[in-house]
Amino acid sequence: MRFATGIVLIDAPHSALNMLGIDESLADRNVTRVKTFRRGGKRYPYVSPQAWRYWWRFTLKEHFNWELSPLYREQKQVFTAANPLKYPDDDVFGYMRAFKKGGVNVTVTRVSPLKNTPLISVLPDRSSITVDEGYASRHEGDPVPYSQEFYSTVFKGAFSLDLDSVGRFTIISKAGFKNLLTWDDVPRDKKGNPKKGAEDVVNEINEMERIAEELGVQRTEKEWLMPPEIRKKRATETIKALRFLTGGAKQSQYHTDVTPKFVLLLNVDAGINPFISDLVFEEKGEIRFDAEALAKRLKDLKEVIPEGTKLYIGYDAGFVRSLGWDVDEIAERVKEAGIAVFTGTVGEAVEEFAKEIEAYYG
């Protein structure tokens, strides 16, 4: 198993990217709050993982022309088409459709090959959040006061893309692994014909088989496997999309560039992410990077780092200068641990990392 793992840092010098709204539990109900969570005795702003995934999906649509899976609503549920052959975001981001249609169980689920954390502020709220006092005055009469929080911080987020799962669809009767409907799901009458009410299921299976035939999908009893070129394209474009990440609330007022200003990227032969936890941390109001901890961690995991792979460090020169980081020093520490390193701009690191992913698919 091979996982493309990474961590990104997003500079948010004056931002409100994912708001909580009015907090009804507080006495002051005139303030729009940012989302925060508590760790130890401190609170930290964050962007929800689903918001980050929404940005990621949108970026793939805008920059790589992905045709996104349409949304449907049924029995108080919202779900996608659950068609990973046709829609690459159903493949990479997974889905769950769990209900009966016409008396027929049409439940299919797919564990997302792409996993990501929330984007979490490195700085706690006391060092990052402020309140803007505003007045709405474009109407007749007295101005109406309102307040909203925003922050100045750096967000860090980690992700892992399961390269073996991209373009591989299982038909195992187990939650998360029954990715597609099969002919066994079609109820039949005494003559063996599909029962009335099963027309939609029959149509869905026929459509899947038609697409599979056109694309050259390999089919066995328990899984369908897309051609390597399609799997390679979907996996690499998912990673390349990080360069152009677009999204976030309040852009008209705060205009935040959410493209990563610093990335660490590494292929790992295990379902772990070596970058989660405090490699980037706050110390006396400053944002620090622990190169020694990274080197020791990678050395400890060397047996699951594939031979010939590199740690890719991508950075924006202005960003790391503002933090006082020395990327060359970080790279040297990692090299001393026996890990090859590539350093360059974020774009260069992402593109080079994508080449490693391409090579994995052959």
Side-chain angles (χ1 to χ4, degrees), residues 180-241:
L180 306 170
L181 293 178
T182 70
W183 291 113
D184 291 338
D185 297 306
V186 180
R188 298 181 182 277
D189 58 23
K190 292 180 181 178
K191 295 181 179 179
N193 298 317
K195 285 186 175 180
K196 188 177 181 180
E199 293 83 0
D200 286 345
V201 177
V202 170
N203 291 337
E204 180 172 324
I205 295 172
N206 281 330
E207 174 69 2
M208 290 287 183
E209 291 190 339
R210 183 189 65 77
I211 297 173
E213 186 68 25
E214 287 180 359
L215 298 177
V217 173
Q218 296 178 29
R219 287 183 279 175
T220 64
E221 185 179 347
K222 292 188 176 180
E223 72 172 28
W224 292 17
L225 186 65
M226 300 191 82
E229 288 303 316
I230 296 178
R231 302 176 70 202
K232 181 190 303 184
K233 183 174 186 295
R234 291 181 176 183
T236 55
E237 288 182 348
T238 300
I239 298 301
K240 290 179 179 179

Side-chain angles (χ1 to χ4, degrees), residues 68-79:
L68 299 186
S69 184
L71 291 175
Y72 300 95
R73 182 166 184 167
E74 189 88 23
Q75 299 177 5
K76 298 183 180 179
Q77 292 185 44
V78 174
F79 48 86

Side-chain angles (χ1 to χ4, degrees), residues 230-343:
I230 296 178
R231 302 176 70 202
K232 181 190 303 184
K233 183 174 186 295
R234 291 181 176 183
T236 55
E237 288 182 348
T238 300
I239 298 301
K240 290 179 179 179
L242 287 170
R243 290 184 59 192
F244 309 108
L245 202 62
T246 303
K250 302 287 185 182
Q251 288 287 7
S252 59
Q253 291 172 296
Y254 296 102
H255 191 31
T256 304
D257 175 13
V258 299
T259 57
K261 296 298 184 292
F262 184 87
V263 297
L264 296 176
L265 304 165
L266 180 70
N267 279 311
V268 180
D269 281 339
I272 58 175
N273 188 317
F275 308 122
I276 292 178
S277 80
D278 294 334
L279 294 176
V280 181
F281 61 99
E282 181 259 350
E283 184 179 69
K284 298 179 181 178
E286 301 293 327
I287 298 175
R288 308 291 189 190
F289 188 96
D290 194 336
E292 190 68 30
L294 173 63
K296 286 183 177 179
R297 192 174 297 171
L298 295 183
K299 185 177 182 180
D300 195 43
L301 296 172
K302 199 169 181 180
E303 65 212 77
V304 293
I305 298 176
E307 187 175 350
T309 63
K310 296 177 182 176
L311 169 70
Y312 294 86
I313 304 176
Y315 65 98
D316 177 271
F319 176 71
V320 297
R321 183 178 64 245
S322 70
L323 299 178
W325 294 1
D326 187 335
V327 174
D328 290 336
E329 181 183 345
I330 295 172
E332 282 305 312
R333 291 293 180 88
V334 175
K335 288 177 183 175
E336 289 170 5
I339 309 296
V341 179
F342 172 92
T343 60

Side-chain angles (χ1 to χ4, degrees), residues 12 87 135 150 162 165 222 247 256 260 294:
Y87 302 108
Y135 292 89
F150 71 100
D162 183 346
S165 291
K222 292 188 176 180
T256 304
L294 173 63

